[in-house]
Amino acid sequence: QKEYEAFLEEWNALQTTLVLFDWDNETAAPENGAVRTAAVVGRISASYQTLLTSEKTGALLEKAKQSKGLSDTETRIFRIIEKERKRLAAIPEDEYRKFSELLSVSTGKWTQAKKKNDFSVFAPVLTEILETKKKFAALQAEPGQSAYDALLVQFEEDLPTRKLDRFFEALK
């Protein structure tokens, strides 16, 4: 149980730190600190990926699956972590870190574009984000699964495009 608690504490600390940096970027972070903040976010994101994709975490998740002593909440949390682990394991570490840094910098670029009412300030960053997301989706797709479904499953686990297609066809 202590092993689970220690892992969950570290996992939660890294997630919370990333959320706080994101919030700070959205609210009060000085513009001239964006590059440094992005580097820190990249490093923390790399630590998060390393934690989740480590052999130790894999063994802990296997042990959790076999455990009878976990609560329903803990079981659900470990299921979420297992899915996140699989998603992150498909992405090369250096690319994940670079993408995390890009997302961090993108907030400032979007703010600049809004202030200037000039989308061209943000457009190159958005293009890079979309291209990277497409690349990651292709890496994460299961055999026979489309890249779009690999992305969609992150938000709607039981709603692949074949179900969406039927739904929208019915609306026509």
Side-chain angles (χ1 to χ4, degrees):
Q1 189 69 17
K2 286 189 186 283
E3 187 180 19
Y4 297 136
E5 289 172 8
F7 169 80
L8 290 173
E9 185 177 313
E10 185 175 1
W11 174 70
N12 190 42
L14 290 169
Q15 276 195 324
T16 301
T17 303
L18 290 168
V19 167
L20 289 173
F21 268 106
D22 189 44
W23 176 79
D24 192 46
N25 269 343
E26 294 282 346
T27 58
E31 284 183 37
N32 61 354
V35 172
R36 179 67 190 133
T37 298
V40 172
V41 166
R43 180 64 192 105
I44 295 167
S45 295
S47 294
Y48 178 77
Q49 184 186 31
T50 298
L51 173 69
L52 260 64
T53 60
S54 73
E55 288 183 25
K56 182 178 177 182
T57 297
L60 181 68
L61 291 172
E62 284 302 315
K63 189 175 171 184
K65 282 183 193 177
Q66 308 305 319
S67 177
K68 303 293 184 212
L70 295 178
S71 69
D72 289 344
T73 301
E74 290 168 326
T75 300
R76 176 73 177 136
I77 289 169
F78 280 111
R79 185 169 165 247
I80 290 167
I81 291 168
E82 190 169 36
K83 284 174 46 180
E84 179 76 351
R85 171 184 161 76
K86 184 177 179 183
R87 188 181 72 79
L88 291 176
I91 302 170
E93 291 176 13
D94 60 323
E95 292 183 38
Y96 183 71
R97 182 176 182 161
K98 182 181 172 189
F99 183 65
S100 297
E101 292 172 3
L102 174 66
L103 290 178
S104 181
V105 168
S106 73
T107 303
K109 292 293 186 184
W110 174 244
T111 301
Q112 290 173 13
K114 282 187 347 185
K115 278 183 188 175
K116 295 179 180 180
N117 197 27
D118 183 3
F119 183 72
S120 69
V121 172
F122 182 65
V125 175
L126 180 59
T127 299
E128 190 173 351
I129 289 169
L130 293 174
E131 291 305 315
T132 304
K133 282 297 241 180
K134 288 177 188 176
K135 180 179 182 180
F136 288 177
L139 292 170
Q140 294 164 339
E142 299 288 331
Q145 181 186 42
S146 72
Y148 186 78
D149 274 337
L151 286 174
L152 191 58
V153 75
Q154 294 173 30
F155 303 98
E156 294 294 339
E157 185 174 347
D158 297 320
L159 195 59
T161 52
R162 63 180 162 71
K163 285 185 182 179
L164 282 176
D165 289 344
R166 286 195 311 258
F167 173 78
F168 285 115
E169 189 60 39
L171 291 177
K172 287 182 182 179

